[in-house]
Amino acid sequence: MIEPSIIQRATECLQCEAAAIEALIPRLDDSFLRAVEAIRDCKGKIVVTGVGKSGHIGSKIAATLASTGTPAFFLNPLDAYHGDLGMLSSDDLVLAISYSGATEELLRFLPLVQAKKIRIIAMSSSEESLLARCADIHLNIAVEHEADPLNLVPTASTTATLALGDALACALVEAKHFQPTDFAQLHPGGDLGRKLLAKVEDVMFTENLPFLTPDMPMSEAIEIVTKGTLGIGIVVEKQSTARSDLQQPTANLVGIITDGDIRRAMQRLGQDFFTTPVSAIMSQNPKTISKNAKIVEAGEKMNHHSIHTLIVLDEPTTNANAKVVGIIDSFSCLPGTRFYH
């Protein structure tokens, strides 16, 4: 049984950290605007640096900046003394983090930065700190007290630092007019990247496609549609009586039959349904998409027409000679759906 005091302590921790973040809002002043402008206008990279817990937070801030269109990396000041200083150029900008503003290893590193005429943005708890006095721009990350019972462990202060780093990144998204497609370019392996960048040919069904011909009786067509498992039949111009030839059609697409078409035809035609040719039931001018189109485009097209499948062509849909190469369904367009090949 967990003591109520334990829950109370955890609650106080979260309340303290939430208060530390709230306290940052009034500090979003001219210094913050100048920091955003400096980062936005930087011609090189943003070099985030710090030691210990500040270093861990700095590494995350660098990753967030990089993922939102601002080239950035983390540099440990200790590594800079042993060759990594060569990573810096005069076009870069340094974001230095130290809550006390007096971290010796960081302060020893800054003169090396200044010698390269690199601008410095500092994040510390006091404008009077040595770090603040070395910087071109200072951002205040002071907290009233840490969240731990001893007021010693970096908790509220690291939370505030991380939150202010996120605020910088979010402000830069606005300042740079960063778009979802830009984010996807930087996250090709993620769900959004896959959705916005992957092509139709990456997820389309290509095997055992349910090809039909206009003169095929529905008794044969319904068997093909059922085996296809996609709930549709693709009607192409007759070119051969051999079923194997239909697997790689060289004739034009002329129509489509859906499960709904089949059910309605059964009700309307009764026993005559099985001898009725496909051409009497099919829908002409089916919706298509090129294999080179983006998945997101396919999803938008299906949503617009309230359908769940599209016929995939090997050429742009405006090309009258385009041939069928696959089928894509709405499930394939969802983020997180695995590739079929």
Side-chain angles (χ1 to χ4, degrees):
M1 185 71 177
I2 296 179
E3 293 284 343
S5 61
I6 300 299
I7 298 300
Q8 179 61 31
R9 177 60 67 188
T11 300
E12 292 172 355
C13 172
L14 295 176
Q15 290 173 335
C16 179
E17 298 202 0
I21 295 176
E22 287 282 349
L24 294 173
I25 297 175
R27 302 176 203 161
L28 299 178
D29 52 14
D30 183 65
S31 292
F32 182 83
L33 289 175
R34 290 193 295 121
V36 172
E37 290 173 353
I39 296 173
R40 180 197 63 190
D41 298 337
C42 178
K43 303 301 182 183
K45 292 182 172 59
I46 309 305
V47 183
V48 186
T49 186
V51 178
K53 302 295 189 299
S54 293
H56 294 307
I57 296 299
S59 181
K60 194 276 179 183
I61 291 174
T64 300
L65 289 171
S67 71
T68 50
T70 300
F73 66 91
F74 177 78
L75 176 62
N76 190 314
L78 300 176
D79 293 332
Y81 305 140
H82 300 283
D84 284 1
L85 189 64
M87 295 180 178
L88 275 63
S89 75
S90 58
D91 289 331
D92 294 335
L93 186 152
V94 166
L95 175 58
I97 305 171
S98 167
Y99 185 75
S100 68
T103 305
E104 181 181 353
E105 298 90 340
L106 181 60
L107 293 176
R108 287 173 52 204
F109 168 59
L110 293 186
L112 305 177
V113 173
Q114 293 171 322
K116 288 179 172 285
K117 301 187 183 304
I118 296 173
R119 298 184 71 192
I120 299 171
I121 298 175
M123 296 175 71
S124 79
S125 60
S126 172
E127 294 181 356
E128 302 303 320
S129 67
L130 288 174
L131 176 58
R133 281 184 269 169
C134 289
D136 299 281
I137 302 170
H138 178 255
L139 300 176
N140 190 337
I141 53 173
V143 299
E144 187 174 341
H145 52 78
E146 297 290 2
D148 75 290
L150 303 176
N151 192 28
L152 293 174
V153 181
T155 46
S157 60
T158 51
T159 297
T161 305
L162 180 60
L164 191 59
D166 287 342
L168 282 172
C170 291
L172 285 160
V173 167
E174 178 71 19
K176 291 185 168 187
H177 307 292
F178 196 72
Q179 300 298 316
T181 49
D182 300 316
F183 185 85
Q185 292 283 351
L186 301 176
H187 298 75
D191 284 345
L192 179 61
R194 177 190 171 280
K195 182 179 178 182
L196 294 179
L197 299 179
K199 294 182 178 181
V200 167
E201 64 180 343
D202 295 323
V203 298
M204 67 184 183
F205 294 89
T206 58
E207 297 181 1
N208 300 317
L209 297 178
F211 288 115
L212 314 173
T213 57
D215 63 345
M216 182 181 291
M218 286 305 302
S219 58
E220 182 180 350
I222 194 172
E223 181 180 353
I224 295 171
V225 172
T226 301
K227 288 182 178 179
T229 71
L230 295 174
I232 66 169
I234 307 170
V235 187
V236 295
E237 289 179 346
K238 184 177 180 181
Q239 55 198 331
S240 170
T241 57
R243 174 75 190 125
S244 59
D245 290 345
L246 288 176
Q247 292 304 309
Q248 297 295 330
T250 57
N252 293 332
L253 175 69
V254 295
I256 187 174
I257 285 182
T258 67
D259 281 340
D261 294 329
I262 293 173
R263 289 193 301 272
R264 287 186 291 272
M266 281 183 167
Q267 291 176 343
R268 186 177 73 253
L269 299 172
Q271 290 298 320
D272 294 335
F273 167 80
F274 295 100
T275 57
T276 299
V278 166
S279 59
I281 295 174
M282 72 180 188
S283 300
Q284 298 183 17
N285 302 314
K287 298 297 183 287
T288 62
I289 195 163
S290 167
K291 68 176 183 179
N292 294 315
K294 298 290 194 302
I295 290 178
V296 66
E297 182 183 341
E300 290 172 352
K301 194 167 189 177
M302 281 185 268
N303 287 336
H304 177 74
H305 294 287
S306 298
I307 56 178
H308 62 82
T309 54
L310 290 170
I311 307 301
V312 184
L313 306 179
D314 62 350
E315 300 287 346
T317 55
T318 54
N319 188 337
N321 295 317
K323 303 300 181 293
V324 178
V325 292
I327 298 173
I328 185 171
D329 64 3
S330 55
F331 179 74
S332 304
C333 299
L334 295 173
T337 304
R338 66 188 297 267
F339 283 18
Y340 287 100
H341 61 272

